[in-house]
Amino acid sequence: MIEQNISLKPYNTFGIDVKALAFGRFGSLETLKALLSNRDPEIPLLILGGGSNILLTKDLPFFVLKNEIEGIETISETDEQVVLKVGSGVEWHAFVRHTVEKGFGGIENMSLIPGSVGASPMQNIGAYGAEIKDTFVSLEALHIESLELHTFNKEQCQFGYRESVFKRALKDQYVIVSVSYQLTKHPKINTSYGAIQSEIEVMGIENITVDVVSQAVMNIRRSKLPDPKVLGNAGSFFKNPVVSKAVFDQLHVNYPDAPHYPQESGEEKLAAGWLIEKAGWKGKRVGNCGVHEKQALVLVNYGGATGNEIYDLSTAIIEDIYSKFGVRLEREVNIL
């Protein structure tokens, strides 16, 4: 059923109250095809998953489709590994917990990332030393115009840092309907990133499994990040900037304690949260929105904020960081 002038407040984690011209849901490839084949091509299309990576700044004269494709299917399995095909509407964290409970390794470090499985390859999501590209096998996506189902392998997805071909060359041309991941039955535990190891020590656990790592990551994230159901947010609002060696060298002279991560390209990745905190924005409130008091990467809606208020706050932060450090931050969240 297609509804008219529906509020999208329940469908975006910022809790922004804007309306969509038309709204529908799909839980299968067949329903998606039917909705697309009967739509008015003059009306722009927006596919919504978990609504965790968007900032809505106005009422949308769009046909909004909510992805509710479920299902986790074993495609292949050996003594060493398993390939799972997952519906793009599955909640990402629910999928992570499914794999952890089975003892499969590969995505446990990405526990509690908000959003749906369909968004994972689009964003090449990652956390605590792991990225989707590390376990990704392929995805199936429906071409919006031709209604043909295409399969994309890792190379075709052109993964980069929080990037893929679906955010660039193929933006708005496909709807991802399933994603396949290869997980290991003999996990290589990675506790070297961030505070995972120290959190496990606090937990007092010596036999470290994927479940233990997952729980440690959840503990860390919950201690720093607000629950969107309580305080509207979209997780990390900014990407960690990657800068040239020359820019980093100049920054390092003035700020020798600045965290940095050497890249294969010779560039350096900086911590956006550190820059924002160093500039004095952490915990700062502007009207109905602000920067979270425990994590400077997260912008929050204290209640009643408009998308434009949050966008203007992000712009002020970007300009201030550039003036202070010579580094221009880039938004990770999609702006509509």
Side-chain angles (χ1 to χ4, degrees):
M1 182 179 73
I2 298 175
E3 301 174 271
Q4 309 293 325
N5 296 314
I6 293 298
S7 172
L8 296 177
K9 186 175 181 178
Y11 305 112
N12 72 95
T13 58
F14 260 121
I16 304 297
D17 189 9
V18 300
K19 290 184 177 180
L21 179 64
F23 182 86
R25 307 167 186 269
F26 62 94
S28 68
L29 177 60
E30 292 71 26
T31 302
L32 173 59
K33 284 184 176 180
L35 287 167
L36 292 178
S37 62
N38 292 316
R39 75 183 180 98
D40 183 345
E42 298 299 316
I43 300 177
L45 184 69
L46 173 65
I47 307 298
L48 266 186
S52 62
N53 199 50
I54 57 172
L55 175 63
L56 303 175
T57 61
K58 58 188 175 183
D59 287 343
L60 301 180
F62 288 8
F63 183 19
V64 177
L65 291 180
K66 179 75 168 63
N67 185 347
E68 297 179 346
I69 297 179
E70 294 289 330
I72 301 174
E73 176 187 358
T74 300
I75 298 299
S76 66
E77 187 171 5
T78 67
D79 292 339
E80 300 295 323
Q81 60 195 29
V82 60
V83 176
L84 300 179
K85 180 179 178 180
V86 190
S88 55
V90 172
E91 181 191 16
W92 171 256
H93 180 63
F95 171 53
V96 174
R97 291 306 300 171
H98 172 86
T99 66
V100 165
E101 288 165 8
K102 296 282 188 180
F104 302 152
I107 60 175
E108 61 278 0
N109 289 46
M110 293 183 278
S111 297
L112 220 58
I113 292 179
S116 63
V117 163
S120 65
M122 186 176 293
Q123 283 284 111
N124 185 25
I125 63 173
Y128 296 100
E131 286 184 318
I132 278 302
K133 64 180 180 63
D134 302 331
T135 55
F136 177 88
V137 176
S138 64
L139 64 79
E140 293 178 317
L142 187 70
H143 190 258
I144 292 170
E145 296 302 323
S146 70
L147 299 184
E148 294 178 348
L149 190 65
H150 296 165
T151 300
F152 291 81
N153 61 26
K154 185 185 296 188
E155 183 179 4
Q156 290 168 321
C157 288
Q158 298 177 23
F159 290 127
Y161 173 57
R162 303 297 175 267
E163 292 287 354
S164 74
V165 70
F166 299 102
K167 289 187 70 176
R168 299 294 182 181
L170 298 182
K171 186 177 182 180
D172 299 329
Q173 295 183 36
Y174 284 87
V175 180
I176 297 172
V177 297
S178 72
V179 187
S180 294
Y181 308 85
Q182 180 175 288
L183 305 170
T184 177
K185 293 183 176 181
H186 304 285
K188 295 180 179 179
I189 302 299
N190 177 8
T191 62
S192 62
Y193 201 98
I196 296 178
Q197 184 61 49
S198 58
E199 176 62 28
I200 291 174
E201 291 171 3
V202 170
M203 292 164 65
I205 298 175
E206 295 183 2
N207 181 27
I208 303 176
T209 64
V210 290
D211 189 28
V212 172
V213 173
S214 176
Q215 189 60 58
V217 170
M218 288 191 286
N219 292 349
I220 295 166
R221 291 181 70 92
R222 284 171 175 152
S223 71
K224 297 193 302 181
L225 302 175
D227 183 345
K229 295 176 183 176
V230 178
L231 189 62
N233 73 92
S236 297
F237 197 93
F238 302 99
K239 297 179 181 180
N240 288 322
V242 178
V243 302
S244 68
K245 190 68 165 56
V247 169
F248 169 72
D249 287 344
Q250 181 59 49
L251 179 71
H252 193 60
V253 168
N254 298 321
Y255 302 96
D257 59 332
H260 59 100
Y261 308 93
Q263 305 297 292
E264 292 181 2
S265 62
E267 298 171 303
E268 295 279 346
K269 182 188 290 185
L270 304 176
W274 183 90
L275 294 169
I276 296 167
E277 182 173 351
K278 195 74 173 178
W281 286 94
K282 186 177 180 180
K284 187 171 183 178
R285 179 167 179 164
V286 180
N288 292 321
C289 62
V291 181
H292 193 245
E293 61 184 6
K294 293 183 179 179
Q295 173 51 268
L297 271 181
V298 178
L299 304 189
V300 296
N301 178 3
Y302 286 109
T306 66
N308 281 318
E309 285 180 281
I310 296 170
Y311 181 82
D312 290 345
L313 171 61
S314 72
T315 299
I317 292 171
I318 289 171
E319 295 304 322
D320 190 44
I321 296 303
Y322 185 72
S323 68
K324 286 182 168 72
F325 304 105
V327 176
R328 187 164 293 279
L329 296 182
E330 185 178 347
R331 298 175 183 91
E332 186 173 324
V333 171
N334 295 304
I335 311 296
L336 289 173

